[in-house]
Amino acid sequence: MQRYRYEIDNVRAHLRSLWAVIGLQLIIILALLFGWSQAPKQITVHVPPDLRSGATLAIDEVPAANVYAFAFYIFQQLNRWSENGAQDYGKAIFRVSPYLTPRYRADLIADMELKAKQGELSYRVRGVHEMTGHGFEERRVDVLAPGVWVVWLDLDLFESVKGMTVKKTAIRYPLRVVKLSVDPESNPWGLALDGFSGNGPHRLTEAQLGDEPGQEE
C-alpha cells in the first residue's frame, strides 16, 4: 500500500513539472508573439550593385554606389528639358520634388524664376550625361556625417535653342545627398538631394579632367 502511495506521489510530482514546463512555454510563446507584433512591417535594405564578393548589409546602411546612382539619376531627370525649358524646368522640379529637400526645391524654383526673367529658358533644350571614364568610384562619394554625403558628378552638359547648340561643356557637380525618410510611398530611396556643396559646380578644364573629386574644396 505504501508503494502505491509513493507511485501516486511521483506521478503527481511529474504532472506538476509538466504543467510548469507548459506554463513556461506558454510565456515564451506569448513573448515571441508580442515581439513579432512590434516588428516593422517593412524594412528598406540598400543592396550594392556588385555582389561578386558578397556583402554584409545593415538596415540603415546605404552603400556609396547607391548614393551615387541616386544622385546621378535624380539630377539627370532634373536637368532634362526635352522641348522648352520655360515649361520643362518647372515640370522637372515638380516631378522629382519627393527626392528634393524643401530648401533645395525652393532654390530651384528661385533659379527657374530668375532664368525666366533673363530669357534663358524659352525654347531651350537641355540634357546631361555621365562623362566617359568618369563613372562611379568609391572616391566620388564623401561621407560628411551619418546620413550626409557629397557626390562628385562629372557630366557633359548640352543645351540648344531652336536646334542651335548654345552650350556644350564638361562640369563637375558636388551634390549633397541626405537621408530623408518622411514619405516612403513617394520616395522609396529614403534619400534626397540637398543642393550643392562647397563652391558649387564648375567647368572642368583639360588639366582638371584628371583631378580627383574633392580636391577643389
Side-chain angles (χ1 to χ4, degrees):
M1 189 69 179
Q2 190 70 20
R3 186 179 64 181
Y4 290 117
R5 184 183 297 277
Y6 287 148
E7 289 295 333
I8 291 173
D9 291 340
N10 288 336
V11 170
R12 288 175 176 171
H14 184 58
L15 288 175
R16 284 194 296 269
S17 64
L18 289 178
W19 278 113
V21 171
I22 292 172
L24 179 61
Q25 290 179 332
L26 183 60
I27 293 173
I28 293 174
I29 291 172
L30 291 175
L32 291 174
L33 287 174
F34 176 77
W36 193 2
S37 68
Q38 299 301 308
K41 301 298 186 293
Q42 294 181 340
I43 61 173
T44 300
V45 178
H46 295 265
V47 180
D50 187 358
L51 294 175
R52 288 175 296 180
S53 58
T56 301
L57 304 174
I59 293 177
D60 58 348
E61 180 182 358
V62 187
N66 296 45
V67 177
Y68 180 92
F70 167 82
F72 172 59
Y73 179 77
I74 300 302
F75 192 69
Q76 187 179 51
Q77 293 299 305
L78 184 61
N79 287 276
R80 179 53 182 153
W81 311 341
S82 59
E83 295 180 1
N84 182 357
Q87 300 173 355
D88 295 338
Y89 195 4
K91 290 179 181 178
I93 295 173
F94 177 78
R95 186 170 62 250
V96 303
S97 60
Y99 305 98
L100 309 174
T101 62
R103 180 180 69 85
Y104 187 37
R105 184 166 59 248
D107 290 345
L108 288 170
I109 292 173
D111 179 64
M112 178 186 65
E113 293 173 348
L114 177 62
K115 281 182 167 59
K117 289 180 181 179
Q118 296 175 343
E120 298 180 11
L121 295 180
S122 296
Y123 304 105
R124 186 172 294 246
V125 173
R126 187 179 202 186
V128 296
H129 68 79
E130 197 172 65
M131 294 175 57
T132 302
H134 290 247
F136 169 73
E137 298 176 72
E138 291 286 342
R139 64 188 178 93
R140 291 192 175 274
V141 180
D142 294 335
V143 180
L144 298 185
V148 183
W149 303 265
V150 173
V151 177
W152 300 88
L153 298 178
D154 289 353
L155 306 178
D156 281 323
L157 171 66
F158 295 89
E159 290 187 358
S160 64
V161 176
K162 296 183 178 180
M164 180 180 297
T165 299
V166 295
K167 186 178 292 186
K168 183 178 180 182
T169 185
I171 299 179
R172 178 166 289 170
Y173 296 92
L175 281 170
R176 279 176 56 90
V177 179
V178 299
K179 276 191 174 182
L180 190 69
S181 302
V182 297
D183 189 357
E185 289 295 326
S186 299
N187 182 355
W189 288 77
L191 302 173
L193 296 185
D194 190 38
F196 298 113
S197 177
N199 296 325
H202 69 274
R203 184 177 300 178
L204 294 177
T205 64
E206 290 295 329
Q208 289 176 318
L209 288 175
D211 290 347
E212 291 190 3
Q215 289 184 347
E216 302 85 345
E217 254 192 37

